[in-house]
Amino acid sequence: MSIAYATEIRKLKNSLWESVASSRRGIEDVIVSMLPQAVSVVTGFVTSVLVARGLGPKGMGSYALILSVSGLAAGLSDLGIGHTAIRFASRAANHGDQDNQLAILRWAFRLRLLLVLTMSVIAFAIAPYIACSIWHEASLASLVRFSLLTGIFAAIAAVPSIYFQSLKRFKMNAVVAVGQTLASFIGIIILAACSRWSVQAVVAVGVIAAALGACAFIILVPRAALFTMQELQQPLRKLLRAPRQNVSLVSTLDVTGANTFAFFMVISSVTVAIAMRADVWLMGYYLEKSQIGMYSVATRFTLPLTIVLGALNTALWPRASALISLSKTTEMIGKTFRLSVMVAFAGLCYAILVPLATPYIFGPTYGKGILLGQILCLRYCISILICPIGVIGYSLGLVKVYWWINVLQLIVVVVVNAIFLPQVGAMGAALALIANEILGFTLAAYFIWRRIVDIRTSQRVG
């Protein structure tokens, strides 16, 4: 029995080593993509400590509520347009079709600007109702409205990132991301040095930093990736329609065009954006502001895990977008999943140990948030497992399936929050996110397996 067990362990080690060796370039790109994420974690963690201590639990809770609206408006300004642009622009760039690549980037930029302005107008209009009727604090309405500017600047700031990702120039993308992160961090440091803490001041710093980050790096992008004079003379309806793809770039695994892909990504993105902020909104209704502040601080421990998750997405998305054969797709699924298991295990160790430092870092008043931080970190360990499977599933045409999986996840998040928030407080929101990830992982894995089986069957028949 021991010999057989040792043989299996050896096989597993060899398999993992082969995955690492054959994915060396991909791992390098992930590491490079982690650098700006690492800077974001360090600066974000220091920022969260300073803001939490400066504002206190109640002020931190109010700030979290404001960000939940402005962050939603910024998120809805993308609605999957960024991922759609990277998918089709990287596919064109991979085949040397620069004209189509730039045309896709221009289309995405126009569409995102229209979306961010539309969402900001809607959020501006309903801000007083949210502040008065849901949060019971009318003074937050003006701050919510002012913070909406961050979404507009974020849409502009995303252009350099999408451009360099489509070219797989991850080092340049890292430079842009680091610069944008440091702009916000410097603002908070100045605020701390002046000891002028208030919710209004923190929101103002965020808006100013977003403006600087948007303007500083847009000059690195060629003008042809933003607009052309010929296109500006065309009617609006044509400007909002994605350019046609070269027939040679269409995958046999997924014949979905850019317009259709973007449509389903919009539905998924809206659903996910609402689901990821439903916890804070429902807490604003059911719980005291201090508990929201406790929850907000607990989420800070997830920052290193969000770095890893973001880096995986950044490096994997353009690679998965270029897949046009089933053999290459299944090969990538196997490699990336084995690697993600290793990363998730390391993340699990982090999730257990690091949140224990909560009272020492943020102060004794946040000591009750240790278990909350551990559960929230566990959620991201599950996300790391899902990431490769979910991203590669787009190359199998599952964009038409993912949207209703996201709808089911939203329903689960709302129901679990509504049931458990009044009973166990903020822990109910953490449990809802765990349920969200498990449901998404299970359904995505099933549909990818079914899709692979169907393709292989059709190929044998053909």
Side-chain angles (χ1 to χ4, degrees), residues 294 358-359 363-371:
M294 194 82 66
T358 300
T365 55
Y366 294 97
K368 295 180 180 179
I370 292 177
L371 180 60

Side-chain angles (χ1 to χ4, degrees), residues 51-80:
V51 174
R53 289 179 175 271
L55 296 182
K58 187 179 184 300
M60 191 69 177
S62 297
Y63 181 56
L65 291 174
I66 293 169
L67 289 184
S68 71
V69 176
S70 61
L72 176 64
L76 292 180
S77 72
D78 184 353
L79 293 178

Side-chain angles (χ1 to χ4, degrees), residues 111-186:
L111 199 56
R112 186 158 184 174
L113 279 181
L114 176 64
L115 286 170
V116 71
L117 292 174
T118 302
M119 295 301 167
S120 296
V121 169
I122 293 173
F124 188 93
I126 66 175
Y129 171 78
I130 294 174
C132 298
S133 302
I134 300 178
W135 298 341
H136 313 297
E137 192 169 341
S139 61
L140 296 182
S142 59
L143 291 176
V144 168
R145 286 176 162 176
F146 179 58
S147 68
L148 293 173
L149 289 172
T150 59
I152 298 174
F153 293 126
I156 300 173
V159 174
S161 179
I162 293 174
Y163 173 71
F164 290 118
Q165 283 186 61
S166 70
L167 293 173
K168 298 187 180 71
R169 293 177 59 184
F170 296 106
K171 292 180 181 178
M172 199 62 202
N173 180 58
V175 171
V176 173
V178 168
Q180 292 174 345
T181 298
L182 290 179
S184 177
F185 180 64
I186 292 172

Side-chain angles (χ1 to χ4, degrees), residues 227-343:
F227 67 92
T228 62
M229 297 306 298
Q230 293 84 350
E231 285 184 341
L232 292 180
Q233 299 172 3
Q234 296 177 355
L236 179 61
R237 185 177 63 179
K238 191 170 183 179
L239 287 174
L240 298 181
R241 187 181 304 150
R244 290 186 177 183
Q245 295 292 289
N246 190 320
V247 177
S248 63
L249 303 183
V250 178
S251 168
T252 57
L253 303 178
D254 177 24
V255 296
T256 307
N259 286 300
T260 303
F261 190 91
F263 172 77
F264 286 108
M265 284 296 291
V266 165
I267 299 175
S268 289
S269 299
V270 170
T271 308
V272 170
I274 295 174
M276 293 302 98
R277 288 166 179 81
D279 51 357
V280 177
W281 293 346
L282 290 170
M283 282 190 289
Y285 179 80
Y286 286 109
L287 306 180
E288 296 178 354
K289 298 295 187 298
S290 60
Q291 286 202 52
I292 303 175
M294 194 82 66
Y295 181 85
S296 180
V297 163
T299 61
R300 305 304 175 182
F301 287 102
T302 67
L303 289 175
L305 299 176
T306 62
I307 286 180
V308 176
L309 183 61
L312 284 172
N313 267 305
T314 299
L316 186 57
W317 190 266
R319 283 181 167 80
S321 299
L323 295 172
I324 57 174
S325 70
L326 183 61
S327 60
K328 292 292 185 181
T329 301
T330 53
E331 180 184 354
M332 180 171 282
I333 288 176
K335 287 180 181 179
T336 54
F337 184 69
R338 285 192 291 270
L339 291 173
S340 67
V341 168
M342 298 168 60
V343 175

